[in-house]
Every structure is written in C-alpha cells, then in structure tokens.
Amino acid sequence: MENLDRLKAIFGGKEITLPHHIRILMSLKKEYGISEISYGEIIKMVHDKGEQSAKMRDFLKNEVLKLLYECGECPLHLAECHTQKVPGDGDWNSPLMLIGEGPGFEEDKQGKPFVGRAGQLLTAILNKLNIDRKKVYITNVVKCRPPMNRTPQSKEIKACKRILELELEFIAPKVIITLGSVPLNYFKPNSSIMQSRGQWIYKRGFWIMPTFHPAYILRQGGETLKRVKWQVWGDFNKAIEKVRELSDYKFN
Ligand code: SF4
C-alpha cells in the first residue's frame, strides 16, 4: 500500500496500526485508482449515483463484513445462545438508519436484524409509511445475541463500537432512528428514553430521533398500548419528514 509505505517512512519504518476506517478507505482508493482526494470526498463519491459508486459501496460493505465475521472482541460470540453474528441489513445508500439494541433469538438463528416479532412490527410500521424495508439500513449496537436477550453490557457495547462506527462512517445517514434506550445512550449517554423520546438530537452531523423499541410496544396493553403506538408513529413520521427535507431519496 503506497500511502502506508510513505507513512512508515515518516515514522522511521515502525509498524503503524491505522484506524479501521482509514485502512479500508486506503484500500478502496487503491482498488479504484483514486488519487489524492480527502476521505470526506471519497464518502461523497461512494454515495453518488452510478455503477462505480454502487461497486464502491459493495467493497466497503464486504470489508466491514470481513471485520465483523472475524471479530472476537467480546465474549458474546462465545455465549451458548450464539449461532452467528448478525450484520446490519439494507441499502448502503440510504439516508435513513435504524439502530436497535442487539439480536434476539430469531435474528441469531436467521443472521438478520429485526426478523422476530419486534422486527415484524417494525416492518409493518415501515410498510404503513409506504417504505420498502430494503430501502432503509437496519442495524444494532451489538452484533451478537446477548444471553437471555439481556441488555448488552457497557464493555460489550464498547467492544462492538468499531463495527457500528464503520457503518456510520461509510453509510453516512442523514437521519437515524434509535430504537430503545441502548442506542439512544450510545449517542447521548445518561439519557432516559421516557424523557428523550420524540425529541431531536443533532450530533456528529446526524439528526437522531429517539423512539421506543418495537419489543417495548409489544409488551404494552390497553390504553398504554394505544398511546405508545401513536407516539412511535409520530416519531417515525417526523424522521421521514426530515429525510425528505434533506434528500430526494425514494423509499420505494
Ligand atoms: S458483540 Fe460485537 S464485539 Fe462482541 S464478539 Fe460480537 S461482533 Fe465482536
């Protein structure tokens, strides 16, 4: 890698461990013969229309998947309930990213996020909004199922952060819907979902709309269920409106 050799020369030939996103973008530049442009410009290029940009997105996706499938950074992949890693799913060119907490039983079995009962509810909400699920990007804070579907621990979230950060960096969504308390606290630590739900957070260039996790909706009944459903519906509508304000992306 030409650039890496140059860096090694600057640092007296010492081994340099580059952050994953830099290493991957350097490989992308090499693969596509891209000359000296900034990484910000490469990300823009990756999200352009056209075949070349689509191939570049596939390249980035495969690099992230490689890292994910090799990952042994926390003990979750050793848990008895663990079958496989569950990568994010959907369009790498979508301006909308949905982030949940972690895979559950069905997700672990199928290797896809949000495919159990909560996932079916999420898909139904998207369908009601006339959104094809394949046109958004859906992922989780941790990519391996925690035992008994418990909340991921902070050390597991910290270990898995490198994958989510690569997804955020390369997909560069304009709007993020956080589903439940864990992804909300990823962006805004010490927050209460009850207080923050439905209120915009603007951070790191992302418009973030916190809402309840669909599994929480499924646990409600009676009047609370009606209220919570309307709240989530309202939050999704606000997020979609914001996407339409910021881009001309077509969801179906
Ligand atoms: S949860 Fe994340 S950090 Fe832990 S082993 Fe799975 S992929 Fe790696």
Side-chain angles (χ1 to χ4, degrees):
M1 211 178 281
E2 197 185 309
N3 288 338
L4 188 54
D5 291 341
R6 215 183 307 149
L7 280 174
K8 274 188 190 168
I10 293 168
F11 287 95
K14 285 187 195 135
E15 269 313 309
I16 302 158
T17 311
L18 293 170
H20 293 299
H21 71 286
I22 300 287
R23 190 184 51 71
I24 294 174
L25 286 175
M26 281 170 91
S27 321
L28 180 90
K29 277 174 91 172
K30 191 168 178 233
E31 180 78 18
Y32 286 89
I34 301 166
S35 53
E36 294 308 315
I37 61 169
S38 73
Y39 289 127
E41 283 170 304
I42 300 181
I43 298 294
K44 268 195 206 145
M45 195 187 257
V46 160
H47 291 289
D48 274 349
K49 294 188 173 93
E51 214 177 299
Q52 165 102 334
S53 295
K55 281 188 186 155
M56 287 164 99
R57 290 195 291 278
D58 283 345
F59 179 95
L60 294 177
K61 180 179 168 180
N62 288 334
E63 289 296 313
V64 174
L65 285 179
K66 259 193 254 166
L67 260 185
L68 172 64
Y69 291 134
E70 282 165 6
C71 181
E73 292 287 314
C74 85
L76 281 184
H77 73 294
L78 300 171
E80 242 176 69
C81 67
H82 174 85
T83 312
Q84 57 188 316
K85 311 253 172 59
V86 181
D89 181 47
D91 186 357
W92 271 57
N93 212 17
S94 182
L96 178 64
M97 186 182 280
L98 271 51
I99 309 179
E101 179 177 310
F105 175 81
E106 273 305 323
E107 289 75 20
D108 171 79
K109 211 163 81 180
Q110 296 187 37
K112 264 185 109 175
F114 283 93
V115 286
R117 275 185 73 220
Q120 285 161 17
L121 177 56
L122 180 67
T123 307
I125 297 171
L126 292 171
N127 289 347
K128 271 206 157 207
L129 283 158
N130 202 20
I131 291 174
D132 179 349
R133 180 187 155 128
K134 290 196 227 68
K135 300 287 281 180
V136 300
Y137 187 80
I138 306 177
T139 193
N140 280 303
V141 172
V142 295
K143 307 314 195 235
C144 297
R145 181 189 176 201
M148 314 290 289
N149 295 343
R150 63 155 169 76
T151 305
Q153 295 167 354
S154 54
K155 56 184 180 207
E156 295 156 355
I157 295 170
K158 202 170 159 205
C160 215
K161 188 176 172 174
R162 62 185 191 142
I163 306 291
L164 182 57
E165 283 301 314
L166 289 174
E167 291 171 299
L168 291 166
E169 178 91 22
F170 295 155
I171 297 171
K174 296 191 185 311
V175 178
I176 295 172
I177 301 178
T178 55
L179 303 163
S181 177
V182 171
L184 162 66
N185 277 276
Y186 183 86
F187 292 102
K188 196 176 169 216
N190 306 315
S191 299
S192 143
I193 183 71
M194 292 299 171
Q195 281 165 16
S196 302
R197 196 231 94 241
Q199 289 174 44
W200 284 114
I201 299 165
Y202 185 71
K203 213 164 180 187
R204 299 171 47 186
F206 307 122
W207 285 96
I208 301 166
M209 172 52 59
T211 196
F212 294 126
H213 193 285
Y216 174 80
I217 308 177
L218 291 171
R219 290 197 296 271
Q220 309 308 311
E223 284 306 307
T224 317
L225 174 62
K226 267 193 218 161
R227 179 172 40 82
V228 166
K229 266 186 175 173
W230 276 114
Q231 286 172 325
V232 172
W233 179 247
D235 300 341
F236 268 78
N237 272 287
K238 277 194 226 169
I240 303 307
E241 234 172 77
K242 182 62 87 183
V243 173
R244 296 210 165 109
E245 214 180 286
L246 300 171
S247 85
D248 57 0
Y249 184 77
K250 301 275 175 283
F251 280 113
N252 45 31

